[in-house]
């Protein structure tokens, strides 16, 4: 066979094998027998081994698994992979629906989808070719599992169009694959996987891609990364149809619903039919369909306001309360946790369950020695549902919360309006340890290598007393710690040194000011630009800032009034920790624009601009775009089908523009 014939054969085999694979793995409609497919694949492998120059980047042979990896690199997501808020009953869904209607009116529809119980993934394509794949991780940064994802047949290595795009979805293990895998592991005397989700996650985190290839994983794609409008798409349902066209596998059990009653009917149907599926689901995802309405609703730091996940009722089992453990958090709150006789719940062994607070313990009358029903709230957090009083042994005493801190023995107090008991000792070991762990966490100062164990070691050995002491650690003392080698010690010192240059918002979040989360820290840092300016800010200044309310403003004022806090800031300053905002900030002083310094709300459907484009242009001209109308709003831009926000703006006497006026002003 000459070179030309060889090239033609390789091209033909690539084309046919991809068509056969798509029909089998994505469409579930095989067009040839397994024997024919395998024979053709083995022939192609043999040719490629002899002629490596003929290997296509999207050849089906690339799915069998290549070299063993040395480890997983970190990948920062182009757009955050947010989690979803949860609903557990019809009332929760009605409240969600009410919030949507209050914000955008009644002219919208939902898309309901099965919530696949797997591992969230991000797939990046450039010019139609699969480039990288990553786990969700913490939502901002995931792990590069590209080589393992290449072995999943329902993930196309080349798209039907030469487009650059990000696809997001769920990688899962079908029930049959899970059963076969555990059967094989049992025969080899290996530990069994608890459930298909754990098996899928474990398979994707194998350093040997050949192991991942043998696990028969599958995917459902459920979203386009970033703005779908940039691809000419106007809704989520349009995006799913487009992903089908590109060659992805989406779940076709989805349904458009106009009302929350239709959503509930969909949920009831799949609650019944759930056992008949060939894969595991743990709930239903509900999304507002239109992209412009999604953008109008916006997101919190953690979750979009336009979507919610209904979680199926949790599996309930009976076990015994052996003891109650008390832990002290970074804000001094004492949290009780039930220690249980080990029991299997939703595929995992549970030995601890949250008791929340003293009021819950009294309300449910939970006592050490009781038989109790436990469940996993949202299939995640174990909790005690109720006590089986008919099984209570005689003589069990009611459980009493302590009067003094279990960590430092200081007196506990209960603040007015709160249910929690709180330790107010600023030198409490447990609080310092929790606070320091928060300070070094990924969304705060991001000091890699400082886990809870190392933090506790540093405190016990009195190498640190507060967060400022982290910046005085010495190599010679670090290597004396248990399990701390020279390389680990140096890496830790390098990470601590690098954290000094973080922008102000990371430090603010890391300080753990009550009610100030990551988003609020960013807003405060952008507004005041320096720690000194923020420390001297008045409540009047704070409450005028977009999204900073009375409660948060009072918390910030109270925090910085503390003399110990001010001394801590001074120590950080002398240790060269950055106290300034170094992110991008619009220089509004030099901008001559009608938008400069204005708080603006976009509502309704825009036809000439996407909502994202409009927001970016307004903010580049010094404006601030928010999702809700209030007395602080200066201007509302109303597109087609503008609803309740337009009505509220008119009631408050706020200036209203149409899109034509917006475009004209942006062009000036």
């Amino acid at each position: 066979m000459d070179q030309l014939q060889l090239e033609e054969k390789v091209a033909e085999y690539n084309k046919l094998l991809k068509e056969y694979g798509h029909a089998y793995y994505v469409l579930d409609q095989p067009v040839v027998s397994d024997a024919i497919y395998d024979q053709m694949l083995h022939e192609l492998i043999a040719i490629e081994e002899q002629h490596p120059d003929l290997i296509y980047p999207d050849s089906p042979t690339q799915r069998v698994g290549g070299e063993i990896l040395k480890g997983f690199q970190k990948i920062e997501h182009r757009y955050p992979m947010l989690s979803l808020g949860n609903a557990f009953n019809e009332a929760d869904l009605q409240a969600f629906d009410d919030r949507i209607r209050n914000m955008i009116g009644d002219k919208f529809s939902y898309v309901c989808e099965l919530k696949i119980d797997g591992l969230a993934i991000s797939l990046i394509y450039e010019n139609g070719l699969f480039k990288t794949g990553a786990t969700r991780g913490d939502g901002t940064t995931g792990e590069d599992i590209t080589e393992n994802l290449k072995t999943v047949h329902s993930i196309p290595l080349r798209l039907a169009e030469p487009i650059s795009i990000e696809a997001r979805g769920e990688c899962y293990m079908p029930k049959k694959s899970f059963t076969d895998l555990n059967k094989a592991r049992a025969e080899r005397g290996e530990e069994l996987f608890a459930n298909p989700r754990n098996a899928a996650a474990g398979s994707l985190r194998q350093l040997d891609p050949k192991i991942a290839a043998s696990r028969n994983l599958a995917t459902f794609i459920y979203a386009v990364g970033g703005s779908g409008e940039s691809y000419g798409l106007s809704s989520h349902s349009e995006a799913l149809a487009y992903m089908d066209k590109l060659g992805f596998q989406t779940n076709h059990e989805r349904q458009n619903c106009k009302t929350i009653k239709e959503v509930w009917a969909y949920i009831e149907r799949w609650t019944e039919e759930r056992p008949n599926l060939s894969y595991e689901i743990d709930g239903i995802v509900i999304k507002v369909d239109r992209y412009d309405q999604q953008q109008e609703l916006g997101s919190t730091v953690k979750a979009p306001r336009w979507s919610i996940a209904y979680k199926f009722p949790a599996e309930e089992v009976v076990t015994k309360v052996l003891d109650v453990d008390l832990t002290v958090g970074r804000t001094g709150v004492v949290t009780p946790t039930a220690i249980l006789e080990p029991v299997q719940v939703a595929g995992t062994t549970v030995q601890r369950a949250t008791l929340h607070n003293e009021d819950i313990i009294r309300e449910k009358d939970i006592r050490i020695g009781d038989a109790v029903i436990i469940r996993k709230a949202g299939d995640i957090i174990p909790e005690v549902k109720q006590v089986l009083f008919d099984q209570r042994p005689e003589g069990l005493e009611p459980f009493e919360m302590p009067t003094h801190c279990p960590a430092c023995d200081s007196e506990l107090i209960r603040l007015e309006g709160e249910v929690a008991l709180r330790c107010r000792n600023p030198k409490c070991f447990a609080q310092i340890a929790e606070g320091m762990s928060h300070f070094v966490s990924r969304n705060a100062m991001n000091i890699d290598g400082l886990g809870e164990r190392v933090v506790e070691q540093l405190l016990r050995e009195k190498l640190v007393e507060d967060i400022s002491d982290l910046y005085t650690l010495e190599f010679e003392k670090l290597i004396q710690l248990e399990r701390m080698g020279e390389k680990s010690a140096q890496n830790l010192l390098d990470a601590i040194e690098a954290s000094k240059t973080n922008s102000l918002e990371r430090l603010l979040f890391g300080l753990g000011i009550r009610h100030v989360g990551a988003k609020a820290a960013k807003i405060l840092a952008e507004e005041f630009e320096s720690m000194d300016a923020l420390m001297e800010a008045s409540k009047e200044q704070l409450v005028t800032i977009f999204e900073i309310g009375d409660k948060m403003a009072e918390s910030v004022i109270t925090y910085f009034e503390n003399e110990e806090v001010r001394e801590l800031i001074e120590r950080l300053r002398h240790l060269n920790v950055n106290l300034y905002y170094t992110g991008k900030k619009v220089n509004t002083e030099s901008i001559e624009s009608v938008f400069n310094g204005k708080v603006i709300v976009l509502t309704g459907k825009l036809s000439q601009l996407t909502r994202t484009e409009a927001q970016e242009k307004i903010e580049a001209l010094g404006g601030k775009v928010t999702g809700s109308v209030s007395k602080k709003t200066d201007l509302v831009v109303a597109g087609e089908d503008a609803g309740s926000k337009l009505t509220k703006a008119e009631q408050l006497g706020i200036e209203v523009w149409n899109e034509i006026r917006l475009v004209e002003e942006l062009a000036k």
Side-chain angles (χ1 to χ4, degrees):
M1 188 179 299
D2 62 27
Q3 182 69 17
L4 181 58
Q5 290 174 316
L6 204 59
E7 291 175 3
E8 289 175 347
K9 185 170 186 177
V10 168
E12 181 186 10
Y13 274 23
N14 266 277
K15 178 176 179 294
L16 291 173
L17 285 168
K18 277 183 274 189
E19 290 175 357
Y20 298 159
H22 184 75
Y24 183 89
Y25 292 104
V26 177
L27 304 180
D28 197 22
Q29 298 172 353
V31 293
V32 295
S33 68
D34 289 351
I36 292 176
Y37 182 92
D38 290 342
Q39 180 183 349
M40 191 176 293
L41 179 62
H42 289 141
E43 279 190 51
L44 182 58
I45 290 172
I47 294 172
E48 289 180 349
E49 286 177 349
Q50 295 295 319
H51 304 274
D53 56 309
L54 295 181
I55 299 176
Y56 286 30
D58 59 330
S59 170
T61 64
Q62 303 305 297
R63 295 191 184 277
V64 298
E67 297 286 326
I68 294 178
L69 308 173
K70 293 181 180 179
F72 296 110
Q73 300 298 314
K74 300 293 184 183
I75 286 186
E76 188 168 340
H77 298 302
R78 297 178 181 179
Y79 309 96
M81 294 184 73
L82 300 178
S83 56
L84 296 179
N86 290 328
F88 299 100
N89 50 49
E90 193 170 3
D92 289 345
L93 288 172
Q94 186 61 59
F96 168 72
D97 185 66
D98 291 342
R99 288 194 298 271
I100 299 294
R101 294 181 187 280
N102 285 337
M103 292 182 74
I104 64 171
D106 298 325
K107 295 181 180 179
F108 69 93
S109 63
Y110 294 115
V111 178
C112 294
E113 301 167 78
L114 304 184
K115 187 174 181 298
I116 311 302
D117 195 10
L119 189 74
I121 55 171
S122 164
L123 309 173
I124 302 294
Y125 289 79
E126 291 190 359
N127 300 317
L129 283 176
F130 179 43
K131 183 185 179 187
T132 55
T135 62
R136 178 184 180 275
D138 63 2
T140 301
T141 305
E143 289 184 315
D144 185 343
I145 55 169
T146 305
E147 296 307 312
N148 285 337
L149 289 173
K150 282 181 179 178
T151 70
V152 181
H153 286 268
S154 55
I155 295 176
L157 300 181
R158 183 188 294 271
L159 302 180
E161 297 178 11
I163 190 171
S164 296
I165 196 170
E166 178 186 2
R168 291 182 172 178
E170 203 83 5
C171 189
Y172 67 95
M173 181 172 286
K175 291 177 180 177
K176 184 179 184 305
S177 299
F178 175 70
T179 302
D180 292 345
L181 174 61
N182 265 353
K183 182 179 178 181
R185 291 176 72 86
E187 290 172 353
R188 295 193 296 266
E190 297 174 349
E191 184 180 354
L192 303 185
F193 283 109
N195 51 53
R197 187 189 186 284
N198 287 356
S203 301
L204 288 176
R205 298 203 76 257
Q206 293 290 329
L207 293 177
D208 185 354
K210 287 187 174 64
I211 296 177
S214 70
R215 297 284 175 83
N216 298 314
L217 300 173
T219 58
F220 283 122
I221 297 302
Y222 55 64
V224 176
S227 172
E229 292 174 304
S230 59
Y231 304 102
L233 306 167
S234 63
S235 67
H236 178 61
S237 52
E238 263 189 40
L240 292 176
Y242 182 54
M243 300 310 265
D244 279 332
K245 181 182 174 184
L246 290 177
F248 293 105
Q249 183 169 32
T250 67
N251 193 299
H252 287 203
E253 303 297 350
R254 58 186 180 263
Q255 179 179 314
N256 282 69
C257 298
K258 292 183 178 179
T259 66
I260 207 68
K261 286 187 177 180
E262 290 181 21
V263 170
W264 186 249
Y266 178 89
I267 289 170
E268 289 182 318
R269 172 192 165 196
W270 285 108
T271 301
E272 293 295 321
E273 296 186 22
R274 179 185 181 188
N276 302 324
L277 292 166
S278 62
Y279 45 86
E280 293 285 358
I281 62 173
D282 59 356
I284 304 296
V285 176
I286 301 103
K287 301 175 182 175
V288 171
D289 191 23
R290 272 174 36 189
Y291 282 145
D292 62 319
Q293 292 177 329
Q294 288 183 9
Q295 291 170 6
E296 184 170 354
L297 291 163
S299 301
T300 66
V301 174
K302 295 181 179 179
R305 294 190 181 94
W306 42 266
S307 182
I308 200 166
Y310 169 82
K311 304 302 287 288
F312 290 128
E315 178 187 350
E316 298 178 351
V317 298
V318 176
T319 187
K320 183 179 178 180
V321 178
L322 301 178
D323 200 357
V324 174
D325 183 36
L326 300 166
T327 56
V328 183
R330 64 183 173 88
T331 61
V333 171
V334 178
T335 303
T337 301
I339 307 302
L340 309 167
E341 280 189 351
V343 64
Q344 282 280 314
V345 187
T348 58
T349 300
V350 171
Q351 295 178 278
R352 299 168 66 87
T354 179
L355 296 175
H356 300 290
N357 55 58
E358 184 178 21
D359 287 0
I360 295 294
I361 294 175
R362 287 180 178 172
E363 179 185 322
K364 296 183 178 181
D365 191 15
I366 299 167
R367 306 184 185 187
I368 296 173
D370 271 332
V372 295
I373 294 175
I374 67 165
R375 64 181 180 182
K376 282 189 177 179
D379 284 340
I380 298 173
I381 304 171
E383 67 175 3
V384 175
K385 181 185 178 186
Q386 69 183 71
V387 174
L388 298 175
F389 294 107
D390 59 341
Q391 297 184 33
R392 171 175 284 172
E394 291 185 13
L396 293 188
E397 295 292 329
F399 179 79
E400 296 291 338
M401 288 288 284
T403 58
H404 288 73
C405 176
C408 70
D409 203 37
S410 297
E411 186 176 0
L412 298 177
I413 66 167
R414 187 166 177 169
L415 298 177
E416 186 178 350
E418 292 190 358
V419 297
L421 285 173
R422 197 181 291 272
C423 172
R424 300 286 280 180
N425 176 15
K427 300 295 184 182
C428 174
F429 178 90
Q431 289 184 63
I432 294 171
E434 288 290 330
M436 197 168 291
S437 293
H438 172 74
F439 181 79
V440 304
S441 64
R442 188 180 301 277
N443 289 331
M445 296 301 276
N446 192 24
I447 302 177
D448 196 25
L450 262 180
E452 289 182 12
R453 182 185 62 81
V454 177
V455 166
E456 289 181 3
Q457 276 187 291
L458 292 173
L459 288 168
R460 287 198 185 95
E461 297 297 326
K462 300 195 182 302
L463 296 182
V464 297
E465 290 186 4
D466 62 34
I467 57 176
S468 68
D469 292 331
L470 293 172
Y471 296 97
T472 65
L473 287 172
E474 298 174 357
F475 179 82
E476 290 73 16
K477 291 183 178 180
L478 274 179
I479 59 174
Q480 295 175 22
L481 296 178
E482 183 183 353
R483 298 181 185 176
M484 180 67 75
E486 292 187 4
K487 185 175 180 181
S488 297
Q490 190 56 56
N491 287 342
L492 176 54
L493 290 173
D494 290 344
I496 291 172
E497 186 65 25
S499 75
K500 290 182 178 180
T501 62
N502 284 337
S503 186
L504 175 61
E505 67 272 15
R506 284 186 171 272
L507 176 58
L508 285 176
F509 179 57
L511 289 173
I513 306 169
R514 288 193 71 197
H515 307 306
V516 177
K519 184 177 181 180
K522 181 80 178 292
I523 292 169
L524 291 170
E526 286 181 334
E527 181 69 25
F528 290 98
E529 299 189 59
S530 75
M531 182 69 81
D532 290 333
L534 177 59
M535 285 173 31
E536 300 307 319
S538 66
K539 182 180 176 182
E540 290 70 26
Q541 287 177 286
L542 288 165
V543 295
T544 60
I545 301 169
F546 168 57
E547 292 195 27
I548 304 296
D550 287 342
K551 194 173 185 180
M552 193 183 298
E554 288 172 2
S555 181
V556 171
I557 295 293
T558 301
Y559 182 80
F560 286 117
E561 282 178 346
N562 188 318
E563 193 58 37
E564 290 184 354
V565 169
R566 289 181 169 267
E567 290 173 1
L568 171 64
I569 300 301
E570 283 307 305
R571 289 197 297 276
L572 292 173
R573 188 194 312 276
H574 290 303
L575 289 163
N576 296 318
V577 176
N578 176 57
L579 302 179
Y580 295 88
Y581 177 65
T582 57
K584 293 181 180 178
K585 184 176 176 68
V586 177
N587 181 11
T588 57
E589 293 181 4
S590 61
I591 295 176
E592 294 184 8
S593 168
V594 68
F595 302 104
N596 195 358
K598 299 288 182 66
V599 176
I600 299 159
V601 173
L602 304 173
T603 183
K605 186 176 182 180
L606 303 180
S607 56
Q608 298 184 51
L609 297 168
T610 67
R611 192 177 298 273
T612 301
E613 289 170 342
Q615 180 171 341
E616 288 176 350
K617 289 177 182 292
I618 290 169
E619 290 179 346
L621 293 170
K624 295 180 180 179
V625 178
T626 180
S628 57
V629 176
S630 70
K631 292 179 180 179
K632 295 181 182 180
T633 306
D634 297 304
L635 172 68
V636 170
V637 177
E640 295 177 25
D641 299 327
S644 58
K645 292 183 183 180
L646 174 58
T647 303
K648 187 172 182 179
E650 291 170 340
Q651 291 172 346
L652 292 174
I654 295 168
E655 185 177 2
V656 177
W657 291 359
N658 59 22
E659 186 181 5
I660 295 173
R661 173 78 184 277
L662 172 66
V663 173
E664 288 174 350
E665 293 293 341
L666 288 173
K668 289 182 179 179

